[in-house]
Amino acid sequence: MRFLLVEDHEDLGRSVQERLRLEGHAVDLAPTLAEAQEFQAAASYDLILLDIMLPDGDGRQFLASQRSAGNQTPVIVMTARAAVSDRVGTLDMGADDYITKPFDYAELEARCRAILRRRGGVADSRHRHADIVFDPLGGTIDVNGEVRELRSRELRLLEVFLGAPGRILSKEHLCDRLFSFSEPVTDNAIEVYVGRLRKKLTGSRLRIDTMRGLGYRLTET
């Protein structure tokens, strides 16, 4: 998944970014609303983590503008304001969740997972695709009764393919879903992760075809 983190406190922003990257997410960090808008113009996001008090404005105005423009990307507001009226007002403006600073990183990660599950309308995290059972929260796939663990980016890559079965996905698109703008990406990075994922899918009916000059496609045999 790709997240947009809007936070002006450098240490907190970097810490949250690194924690979420360890979960396999691509995270772009914007310390101002202006930079957040620039990121949004260049990429699409699965979740926005939004501070309220920012150097160039109020995050709630950013949230309101998102909703008025019809952007329904889930938003978790992060703020030091703990008053009930602040929480209620922010949720009424269209936030999907609210977490008060200081917070535990594990709680933030759990809230992110819950929001993404609700967005997909899924109560049980496990999904069946062809002859595999994919558990994104557990980080595993079950292939004919054999449970195989997925590394973080293998897991995110499989999510991208399962979200677009049969479609040709370019290397550029896959890079956009797996890496943030600040992460260095080598030319063969996607080839490496596709190769690893293919090995994890060995023995199943799912395969990843290379479409020369175009990208990759998930198919079922």
Side-chain angles (χ1 to χ4, degrees):
M1 297 290 178
R2 188 162 189 167
F3 294 177
L4 175 60
L5 171 60
V6 189
E7 170 60 60
D8 66 318
H9 190 286
E10 184 175 357
D11 289 342
L12 175 61
R14 293 298 178 192
S15 295
V16 172
Q17 184 181 46
E18 289 306 312
R19 283 293 298 249
L20 293 174
R21 280 179 175 175
L22 289 174
E23 290 281 306
H25 303 292
V27 184
D28 292 316
L29 174 58
T32 66
L33 294 176
E35 290 180 65
Q37 291 167 346
E38 290 177 3
F39 279 132
Q40 278 198 306
S44 60
Y45 293 96
D46 300 290
L47 181 65
I48 297 173
L49 301 171
L50 178 65
D51 188 18
I52 286 182
M53 302 303 293
L54 294 156
D56 57 345
D58 191 320
R60 289 170 297 186
Q61 296 174 348
F62 177 83
L63 171 62
S65 67
Q66 297 293 300
R67 296 305 185 235
S68 64
N71 185 345
Q72 296 304 311
T73 302
V75 174
I76 298 178
V77 169
M78 307 183 304
T79 179
R81 296 182 175 182
V84 173
S85 59
D86 286 325
R87 296 199 300 271
V88 171
T90 302
L91 292 169
D92 282 343
M93 291 178 71
D96 295 86
D97 203 352
Y98 189 111
I99 189 167
T100 304
K101 299 176 183 177
F103 49 76
D104 185 277
Y105 292 126
E107 180 184 358
L108 177 62
E109 292 165 0
R111 288 175 181 267
C112 291
R113 291 193 295 267
I115 288 291
L116 295 172
R117 284 202 305 274
R118 291 204 298 270
R119 186 187 186 197
V122 178
D124 186 343
S125 67
R126 294 171 297 178
H127 311 271
R128 177 172 289 278
H129 302 272
D131 57 347
I132 74 165
V133 177
F134 174 43
D135 182 357
L137 295 187
T140 63
I141 55 173
D142 184 320
V143 180
N144 300 318
E146 179 185 345
V147 177
R148 303 171 183 176
E149 293 187 359
L150 299 173
R151 294 183 178 180
S152 57
R153 284 211 168 99
E154 295 168 359
L155 187 154
R156 303 307 168 196
L157 182 59
L158 181 57
E159 285 184 321
V160 174
F161 278 122
L162 291 176
R167 285 178 49 193
I168 298 175
L169 304 179
S170 68
K171 284 186 177 181
E172 291 76 13
H173 176 78
L174 296 176
C175 279
D176 180 68
R177 303 314 297 164
L178 294 184
F179 301 96
S180 63
F181 289 118
S182 62
E183 291 179 281
V185 183
T186 61
D187 291 340
N188 68 339
I190 293 300
E191 294 177 15
V192 170
Y193 287 113
V194 167
R196 291 176 180 175
L197 184 56
R198 279 175 170 151
K199 290 181 180 178
K200 297 295 174 67
L201 292 173
T202 299
S204 75
R205 297 204 311 271
L206 294 179
R207 72 180 190 187
I208 301 171
D209 296 326
T210 299
M211 313 301 292
R212 293 194 177 277
L214 298 175
Y216 301 94
R217 179 175 62 189
L218 182 70
T219 59
E220 180 180 346
T221 59

